[in-house]
Amino acid sequence: MSALLAQLRAACGDSHVLTHDTPGADLSAWEQDWRKRSRGRALAVVRPGSTAEVAAVVKACAAHGTSIVPQGGNTGLVVGSVPDDSGTQVVLSLTRMNAVRALDKDNLTLTVEAGCVLQHLQDVAEQAGFLFPLSLAAEGSCTIGGNLGTNAGGTQVLRYGNARDLCLGLEVVTAQGEVWHGLTGLRKDNTGYDLRHLMIGSEGTLGIITAATLKLYPLPAATLTAWAAVPSMEAAVQLLGMAHHTLGPGLTGFEVMGQFALSLVDKHYPQLRVPLFKDQPWCVLLENSDCESEAHARQQFEALLETAMAAGCVTDAVVAENIAQARGLWHIRESIPLAQAEEGLNIKHDISIPVSRIPAFVAETDALLEREIPGVRLVDFGHLGDGNLHYNVQAPAGADGKAFLRDWEDQVNTLVFDQVARFEGSISAEHGVGELKAHKLPSYKDPTALAMMRALKQALDPQNILNPRKVLA
Amino acid sequence: MSALLAQLRAACGDSHVLTHDTPGADLSAWEQDWRKRSRGRALAVVRPGSTAEVAAVVKACAAHGTSIVPQGGNTGLVVGSVPDDSGTQVVLSLTRMNAVRALDKDNLTLTVEAGCVLQHLQDVAEQAGFLFPLSLAAEGSCTIGGNLGTNAGGTQVLRYGNARDLCLGLEVVTAQGEVWHGLTGLRKDNTGYDLRHLMIGSEGTLGIITAATLKLYPLPAATLTAWAAVPSMEAAVQLLGMAHHTLGPGLTGFEVMGQFALSLVDKHYPQLRVPLFKDQPWCVLLENSDCESEAHARQQFEALLETAMAAGCVTDAVVAENIAQARGLWHIRESIPLAQAEEGLNIKHDISIPVSRIPAFVAETDALLEREIPGVRLVDFGHLGDGNLHYNVQAPAGADGKAFLRDWEDQVNTLVFDQVARFEGSISAEHGVGELKAHKLPSYKDPTALAMMRALKQALDPQNILNPRKVLA
């Protein structure tokens, strides 16, 4: 392998090729996934500084039959961006490629390199008077290349779509080390197969995204947040329909949170003062973005909530009076994952179901789990507007979390995923497949779709050197 | 071929397999494209009534190595849905598969078969209180399968995206006659490669779309239309930016029309009474969709137009007082293609350019053409909000149209497409490639992208039986 390492060093410079033999080098940040579920061992970590260097790295690896694991901020949740433990894979980190190449105000586009941190892009857009709406918990460290590679979701999907919907063009290095120059800023381009959408969400298994042209939106004049207690999941779905009707595209967030999930926030972070959760099984967080004024947004919100209360689908509600209060409400929502971790280990699911079927799914699946595991506690929350639930299963009160996971994780996964399949849902709504769920696809993915996926992988990466065993086990 | 015909008849029933030997049969409606640029000869026209029948037809054809031309409403503009003249291809018409399978109000989805006529789907949605926003000139006869196969655009792309952006799931018959059951109604699904977007826009060359799950939107409370005269294309672009800022997602239409294009409407259809076009080189048609009320929409529009006039980017404007006036303004816009046909033959282009570069593109390309062809007349109009121009080149006044096309078509196409390439645009914004532009792709498409397209075609349709020579010549 020393010949390959020499080529990589020639391509990127000695200081940007790290191996376990590099004096003082600690590769663990690149070898370990964010949730610490897997620790691999890399042959080398390579940090190219340009698209041409990425292409040279891929060509060298292809010539040696060495596989490549592309990596951005390494914040993924499905073990998609870390090497296996063979010591033979090259981690290709894109973080040095972090230039903003262009901002086109009249075309409403932003062209950036893959290694740009998401929050930085949000800031660049805002400073120019625009909104780049992709927003998710890891935004302070995830990169746009990783967001596109995994088709990230987050809290603004309801209005602006997933990461793929915010991307107009890509620059990609293929498995052969060729560069596809596809950084178009066009809203319409029907000159052949949509390679952009094929690359987005392929988790680095079909090509390596090195840059992207993204959509910008006008900054809203005002963004308001409301919090409503609802008597049932059916009522939450009814409220969602009313909100679509009344607010139209102003509805930019619709999060649902179960009573037990909120009680954990209340228990572990009492200073956050969770409102309205004690009397009703669910609360909803709504966001209204208005291009006119705060007064107009407030009037729209009040009209919605009055109608909803009259219809009985909201029992009580508050509208944040100022930005600090709005941030406080979002902070409660975002603290649920932390609060459940404080409470102990749990079995997490990132699933989606058609919105209309979520009430029945939750009722049935809750009942099945409670029958199987007496005392089980269900931490349900998520992006109801997108049909996306984080449906997490916590050990009974007082039980040992590790023993619970050991004894129940496989069974619970199977039970939940079988229910998802019965309700025509997805076992991975926004987190992707990675290595963690690759072995689940044969059970839950349409077999014709899976056969097509294998054919596409074989066509674009016949050597199977791009992130092997991710997505397709 | 009689063995194949017998199998097709067994699959679909005798009356749904038409050949030139069928007594009284006239296949011209299936063999001739809409703009009458190409007339082929089919071995047979097969009209399956179900997905299973489509699969059986494909399996039979695959076994015989016979190629298939999928066809919907046959309204395409690039010769993508008619057979060649060999007499060996089977036209597979989807028009009998026209059931609406489901409308899910809470999930905001509509699941329909490929042969549904677009206008019918708009009506079904509206009757249920929703908007299906895809809208284009052929909506009375085009089918949703064809709209998805070609990724149709139209007049609402600015707000709602192209056909691909309105589709959540697909049912597809592969080149092997297998059925991919992908009719998910999910807003988030990250379980592998996005086969949906790969099929959409592939013009029937990678699979046959038999059904789709589409997105619905709330019906706006009011839709208003305005017409503004602008002193330059730069001013039109400036007005677009202001409209994005003031109206936000309420801006659902932004069409630009050149003075000569409008003068043709005025000349050939004086009863339409084209407003405000005589003193300025361009007019703009704006549409504002409001979820609140007509009064609110009007107030927003007036605020925008006042600001724009103060800034000098609008010289005069009218807002339609009622629906009849609004339809009248749209009718003028939609009459441009008819008026230019009345005036004589012309060379049409469906191109897109980044919005910011359109003023320079038009100025430069107009000048180049005027230098090459003294007296040439340019019929420019299109969806400026999407960067999509219908940039049409009309013979000098009094010249013979046929002679003009014969002498100039190739040269003009090359000049315009070279300019498009220089401005990083697309030579087919919304009409697709078909047979008409397939031979242009090698000159104007990124070579790495083209190589990937060929690899994907080979992977999914190794026999090359699905719409051969369309898209990839």
Side-chain angles (χ1 to χ4, degrees):
Chain A
M1 285 295 100
S2 61
L4 172 59
L5 291 173
Q7 286 170 1
L8 298 177
R9 291 192 173 108
C12 302
D14 287 358
S15 62
H16 300 304
V17 179
L18 308 175
T19 71
H20 286 281
D21 298 331
T22 309
D26 175 6
L27 306 191
S28 58
W30 293 278
E31 291 176 332
Q32 168 112 56
D33 78 303
W34 200 58
R35 281 175 63 200
K36 298 197 187 341
R37 295 186 71 117
S38 178
R39 172 71 191 262
R41 184 176 169 82
L43 171 69
V45 173
V46 185
R47 305 179 65 223
S50 69
T51 306
E53 288 182 18
V54 173
V57 168
V58 174
K59 281 200 169 158
C61 289
H64 290 267
T66 295
S67 62
I68 299 164
V69 180
Q71 190 180 91
N74 197 19
T75 60
L77 299 172
V78 291
V79 192
S81 59
V82 289
D84 63 23
D85 58 8
S86 66
T88 65
Q89 298 188 307
V90 167
V91 173
L92 193 161
S93 168
L94 279 300
T95 52
R96 282 184 63 225
M97 287 189 65
N98 61 0
V100 171
R101 292 196 191 161
L103 193 156
D104 185 336
K105 291 187 179 197
D106 285 333
N107 199 44
L108 295 174
T109 49
L110 181 63
T111 300
V112 303
E113 291 184 343
C116 286
V117 169
L118 174 55
Q119 197 166 56
H120 176 60
L121 298 184
Q122 295 166 346
D123 292 345
V124 166
E126 188 167 341
Q127 279 155 25
F130 297 97
L131 173 73
F132 179 61
L134 189 66
S135 179
L136 47 106
E139 62 198 21
S141 45
C142 63
T143 61
I144 191 67
N147 297 147
L148 293 168
T150 58
N151 186 31
T155 57
Q156 302 281 296
V157 174
L158 178 59
R159 162 70 180 95
Y160 298 101
N162 296 285
R164 70 168 66 258
D165 301 301
L166 298 170
C167 177
L168 293 173
L170 289 179
E171 180 186 85
V172 169
V173 173
T174 69
Q176 293 74 37
E178 303 296 330
V179 181
W180 165 38
H181 298 281
L183 283 179
T184 161
L186 304 174
R187 255 96 183 152
K188 286 182 174 173
D189 179 14
N190 277 347
T191 53
Y193 306 154
D194 200 316
L195 304 171
R196 164 190 52 150
H197 280 304
L198 186 61
M199 291 294 165
I200 296 174
S202 71
E203 305 185 22
T205 65
L206 299 179
I208 299 170
I209 295 171
T210 52
T213 298
L214 307 167
K215 285 187 200 171
L216 297 176
Y217 288 84
L219 268 180
T223 301
L224 282 193
T225 304
W227 184 283
V230 300
S232 64
M233 186 61 99
E234 286 81 356
V237 169
Q238 195 187 344
L239 176 62
L240 174 63
M242 287 179 180
H244 274 303
H245 189 77
T246 306
L247 307 179
L251 181 67
T252 49
F254 196 98
E255 301 285 309
V256 71
M257 298 152 288
Q259 191 173 39
F260 177 65
L262 291 173
S263 77
L264 290 181
V265 177
D266 185 61
K267 175 178 169 187
H268 296 286
Y269 308 110
Q271 73 279 15
L272 297 185
R273 297 198 294 180
V274 182
L276 306 181
F277 76 102
K278 289 199 171 144
D279 298 328
Q280 298 296 339
W282 300 94
C283 284
V284 170
L285 190 159
L286 301 96
E287 190 182 81
N288 181 19
S289 298
D290 196 287
C291 62
E292 195 173 336
S293 66
E294 184 179 323
H296 183 254
R298 199 171 292 280
Q299 170 198 325
Q300 292 278 92
F301 241 166
E302 282 164 7
L304 167 66
L305 292 169
E306 268 175 36
T307 313
M309 289 177 82
C313 64
V314 165
T315 59
D316 201 356
V318 290
V319 179
E321 287 296 325
N322 50 49
I323 291 175
Q325 279 185 17
R327 285 200 181 136
L329 295 175
W330 274 105
H331 190 46
I332 293 167
R333 158 67 183 83
E334 284 156 5
S335 299
I336 295 173
L338 303 170
Q340 69 182 359
E342 290 284 340
E343 187 71 7
L345 292 169
N346 57 69
I347 306 168
K348 293 180 170 46
H349 304 102
D350 162 44
I351 59 177
S352 61
I353 308 281
V355 171
S356 51
R357 306 191 70 184
I358 282 186
F361 170 85
V362 170
E364 276 189 30
T365 312
D366 282 7
L368 283 172
L369 284 165
E370 282 157 4
R371 202 173 64 192
E372 287 291 312
I373 315 171
V376 72
R377 297 177 301 168
L378 298 164
V379 185
D380 291 357
F381 63 101
H383 318 293
L384 184 63
D386 317 316
N388 178 194
L389 287 185
H390 299 300
Y391 186 88
N392 298 340
V393 180
Q394 193 115 21
D400 176 62
K402 278 195 181 167
F404 176 72
L405 249 68
R406 186 193 60 219
D407 296 344
W408 286 104
E409 186 165 18
D410 284 349
Q411 260 176 276
V412 165
N413 283 341
T414 300
L415 186 152
V416 171
F417 290 162
D418 285 356
Q419 280 289 99
V420 168
R422 236 168 55 69
F423 282 85
E424 300 178 293
S426 167
I427 65 164
S428 182
E430 58 178 7
H431 294 169
V433 179
E435 188 188 306
L436 200 65
K437 291 184 181 168
H439 64 288
K440 294 283 183 198
L441 287 200
S443 307
Y444 296 104
K445 190 91 183 169
D446 177 88
T448 304
L450 202 57
M452 283 195 277
M453 282 171 55
R454 290 189 199 286
L456 297 174
K457 170 71 172 171
Q458 170 69 25
L460 296 187
D461 180 20
Q463 278 188 286
N464 194 24
I465 60 166
L466 290 182
N467 221 3
R469 289 175 298 285
K470 311 291 168 42
V471 184
L472 292 167
Chain B
M1 285 294 100
S2 61
L4 172 60
L5 291 174
Q7 286 170 3
L8 298 177
R9 292 192 173 106
C12 302
D14 287 358
S15 62
H16 300 304
V17 179
L18 308 175
T19 71
H20 286 280
D21 298 331
T22 309
D26 174 7
L27 307 191
S28 58
W30 292 279
E31 290 176 331
Q32 168 113 57
D33 78 302
W34 199 58
R35 281 175 65 199
K36 300 198 186 339
R37 296 187 69 117
S38 177
R39 172 72 193 263
R41 183 176 170 85
L43 172 68
V45 173
V46 186
R47 304 181 64 223
S50 69
T51 306
E53 289 182 16
V54 174
V57 168
V58 175
K59 282 198 170 159
C61 289
H64 290 267
T66 295
S67 62
I68 299 163
V69 180
Q71 190 181 91
N74 197 20
T75 61
L77 299 173
V78 291
V79 192
S81 59
V82 288
D84 63 24
D85 58 8
S86 67
T88 65
Q89 298 189 306
V90 167
V91 173
L92 193 160
S93 167
L94 279 302
T95 51
R96 282 184 63 224
M97 288 190 63
N98 61 359
V100 172
R101 291 196 190 162
L103 192 155
D104 184 335
K105 291 187 179 197
D106 285 333
N107 199 44
L108 295 173
T109 48
L110 181 63
T111 300
V112 303
E113 292 184 344
C116 287
V117 170
L118 175 54
Q119 196 166 55
H120 176 60
L121 299 185
Q122 295 167 345
D123 292 345
V124 166
E126 188 167 342
Q127 279 155 27
F130 297 97
L131 174 72
F132 179 60
L134 188 66
S135 179
L136 48 106
E139 61 197 22
S141 46
C142 64
T143 62
I144 190 68
N147 296 147
L148 293 167
T150 58
N151 186 33
T155 58
Q156 302 281 296
V157 173
L158 179 59
R159 163 70 181 94
Y160 298 102
N162 295 285
R164 69 168 67 257
D165 302 300
L166 299 170
C167 177
L168 294 172
L170 289 180
E171 180 186 85
V172 169
V173 174
T174 70
Q176 293 74 39
E178 303 297 329
V179 181
W180 165 36
H181 298 281
L183 282 179
T184 162
L186 304 174
R187 253 100 183 148
K188 285 182 176 173
D189 179 15
N190 276 347
T191 54
Y193 307 153
D194 200 315
L195 303 171
R196 164 191 49 147
H197 281 304
L198 186 61
M199 291 294 166
I200 296 173
S202 71
E203 305 185 22
T205 65
L206 299 179
I208 299 169
I209 295 170
T210 52
T213 299
L214 307 168
K215 285 187 198 171
L216 297 177
Y217 287 85
L219 269 180
T223 301
L224 283 193
T225 304
W227 183 282
V230 300
S232 64
M233 186 61 100
E234 287 82 356
V237 169
Q238 194 187 348
L239 175 62
L240 174 63
M242 288 180 178
H244 274 303
H245 189 77
T246 307
L247 307 179
L251 181 66
T252 48
F254 196 98
E255 302 285 310
V256 72
M257 298 153 287
Q259 191 173 38
F260 177 66
L262 291 173
S263 78
L264 290 182
V265 177
D266 185 61
K267 174 179 170 185
H268 296 286
Y269 309 109
Q271 72 279 14
L272 297 185
R273 297 198 294 180
V274 181
L276 307 182
F277 76 102
K278 289 197 173 147
D279 298 328
Q280 299 296 339
W282 301 94
C283 285
V284 170
L285 189 158
L286 300 97
E287 190 183 80
N288 181 19
S289 298
D290 196 289
C291 61
E292 196 173 334
S293 66
E294 185 179 321
H296 183 254
R298 199 169 291 279
Q299 172 198 322
Q300 293 277 94
F301 242 165
E302 282 164 6
L304 167 66
L305 292 170
E306 269 175 37
T307 313
M309 288 176 83
C313 64
V314 165
T315 58
D316 201 357
V318 290
V319 180
E321 287 296 325
N322 50 48
I323 292 175
Q325 279 184 19
R327 284 198 183 137
L329 295 175
W330 273 105
H331 190 45
I332 293 168
R333 158 67 183 85
E334 286 155 4
S335 299
I336 295 174
L338 303 170
Q340 69 183 359
E342 291 284 342
E343 187 71 7
L345 290 169
N346 56 71
I347 306 167
K348 293 180 172 42
H349 304 102
D350 163 45
I351 59 178
S352 61
I353 309 280
V355 171
S356 51
R357 306 190 70 184
I358 282 186
F361 169 85
V362 170
E364 277 190 29
T365 312
D366 283 7
L368 284 173
L369 285 165
E370 283 157 5
R371 202 174 61 192
E372 287 292 311
I373 314 172
V376 71
R377 298 178 299 168
L378 298 162
V379 185
D380 291 358
F381 62 101
H383 318 293
L384 184 63
D386 316 317
N388 179 193
L389 286 186
H390 298 301
Y391 187 87
N392 299 341
V393 179
Q394 192 116 21
D400 176 62
K402 278 195 183 167
F404 175 71
L405 249 68
R406 185 194 61 219
D407 296 343
W408 286 103
E409 186 164 20
D410 285 348
Q411 260 177 279
V412 166
N413 283 341
T414 300
L415 187 154
V416 171
F417 290 162
D418 286 355
Q419 280 290 99
V420 168
R422 235 168 57 70
F423 281 85
E424 301 179 292
S426 166
I427 64 164
S428 182
E430 58 179 7
H431 294 168
V433 179
E435 187 188 305
L436 200 64
K437 292 185 182 167
H439 65 287
K440 295 281 184 200
L441 287 199
S443 307
Y444 296 104
K445 189 93 183 168
D446 178 88
T448 305
L450 202 57
M452 284 196 276
M453 283 172 55
R454 291 190 198 284
L456 298 174
K457 171 70 173 174
Q458 170 69 23
L460 296 186
D461 180 19
Q463 277 188 286
N464 194 23
I465 60 167
L466 290 181
N467 220 4
R469 288 176 300 284
K470 310 291 168 45
V471 184
L472 293 167

